[in-house]
């Protein structure tokens, strides 16, 4: 286990901080929300390998996703994410195409910042409300259907505060998540800690609890545009991906 973490960290250090979630294609920690936001008019395009341990139960196999994310205003972020389905997940005869990716699940995510960090007093945390995959076309078209096709559905309130310890900076993140799904129910607190060393500020270590599991990971930003991220869900299952980001004028 320790060997995996060391090797992964060395891999990233060979690449140059961006807070992006592999699973949802949004700003956040690894799989848990945060109240951090991208710079105004930031565009992110990314793709990820998703271990089956990090996905909703509909995916009982490893899969992939890709996304487009735009921070329209400093307080508003929108993302569109697609996750690949294998044939057996959508009712295709296994003799014809079992194990092949033949379709994809699509959904939007929305994040709105209510408060900036330090907005009214120096100890004020940033506060964000957000949702992913809120609407399902099955289950009679309900919001947050208990058994529809909104597999990634979640609603949340998140707060973030960064604390300086000497030259070092630590981020403290707390959120509350909710949905009504019967197969992937989220209803509880999540949180995490982030650390960026002063000698390498684009490197970021993350430890989190996402309301279901504990995870650790790291991110790095190369050439100001290429963001690499790895995660060990349940402290041992690898998930990873790359994101390209630009700032529009």
């Amino acid at each position: 286990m320790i060997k995996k973490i060391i090797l992964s960290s060395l891999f990233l250090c060979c690449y140059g901080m961006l807070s992006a979630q592999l699973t949802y294609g949004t700003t956040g920690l690894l799989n848990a929300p945060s109240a951090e936001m991208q710079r105004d008019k930031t565009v992110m395009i990314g793709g990820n390998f998703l271990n089956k341990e990090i996905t909703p139960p509909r995916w009982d196999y490893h899969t992939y996703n890709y996304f487009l994310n735009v921070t329209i205003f400093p307080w508003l972020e929108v993302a569109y994410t697609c996750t690949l389905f294998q044939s057996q997940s959508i009712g295709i005869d296994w003799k014809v195409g079992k194990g092949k990716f033949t379709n994809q699940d699509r959904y939007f995510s929305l994040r709105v910042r209510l408060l900036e960090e330090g907005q009214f007093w120096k100890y004020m945390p940033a506060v964000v409300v957000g949702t992913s995959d809120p609407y399902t076309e099955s289950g009679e078209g309900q919001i947050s259907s208990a058994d529809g096709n909104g597999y990634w559905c979640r609603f949340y309130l998140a707060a973030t505060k960064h604390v300086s310890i000497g030259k070092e900076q630590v981020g403290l993140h707390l959120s509350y998540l909710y949905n009504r799904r019967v197969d992937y129910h989220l209803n509880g607190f999540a949180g995490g800690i982030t650390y960026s060393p002063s000698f390498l500020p684009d490197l970021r270590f993350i430890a989190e609890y996402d309301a279901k599991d504990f995870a650790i990971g790291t991110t790095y930003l190369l050439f100001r545009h290429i963001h690499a991220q790895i995660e060990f869900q349940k402290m041992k299952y690898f998930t990873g991906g790359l994101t390209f980001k630009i700032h529009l004028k």
Side-chain angles (χ1 to χ4, degrees), residues 198-220:
S198 58
F199 62 89
L200 203 58
D202 287 330
L203 176 65
R204 177 175 164 115
F205 297 99
I206 306 170
E208 71 169 26
Y209 173 69
D210 65 4
K212 281 185 174 292
D213 302 307
F214 289 94
I216 55 174
T218 185
T219 70
Y220 207 69

Side-chain angles (χ1 to χ4, degrees), residues 20-33:
Q21 294 183 283
L22 295 170
T23 42
Y24 294 92
T26 62
T27 303
L29 301 181
L30 299 170
N31 198 39

Side-chain angles (χ1 to χ4, degrees), residues 183 192 225:
D183 59 347
H225 294 291

Side-chain angles (χ1 to χ4, degrees), residues 153-192:
C153 180
R154 65 175 184 173
F155 300 87
Y156 59 85
L157 176 69
T160 290
K161 177 63 181 176
H162 293 90
V163 178
S164 295
I165 304 175
K167 294 183 179 181
E168 309 305 314
Q169 186 179 81
V170 175
L172 306 176
H173 313 269
L174 181 65
S175 57
Y176 185 84
L177 296 86
Y178 174 77
N179 72 22
R180 297 193 298 108
R181 291 200 63 83
V182 295
D183 59 347
Y184 195 64
H185 188 40
L186 297 174
N187 186 19
F189 287 98

Side-chain angles (χ1 to χ4, degrees), residues 188-199:
F189 287 98
I193 299 175
T194 56
Y195 167 61
S196 299
S198 58
F199 62 89

Side-chain angles (χ1 to χ4, degrees), residues 140-151:
E140 298 181 356
Q142 299 173 10
I143 297 294
S144 185
S145 172
D147 57 0
N149 59 1
Y151 308 111

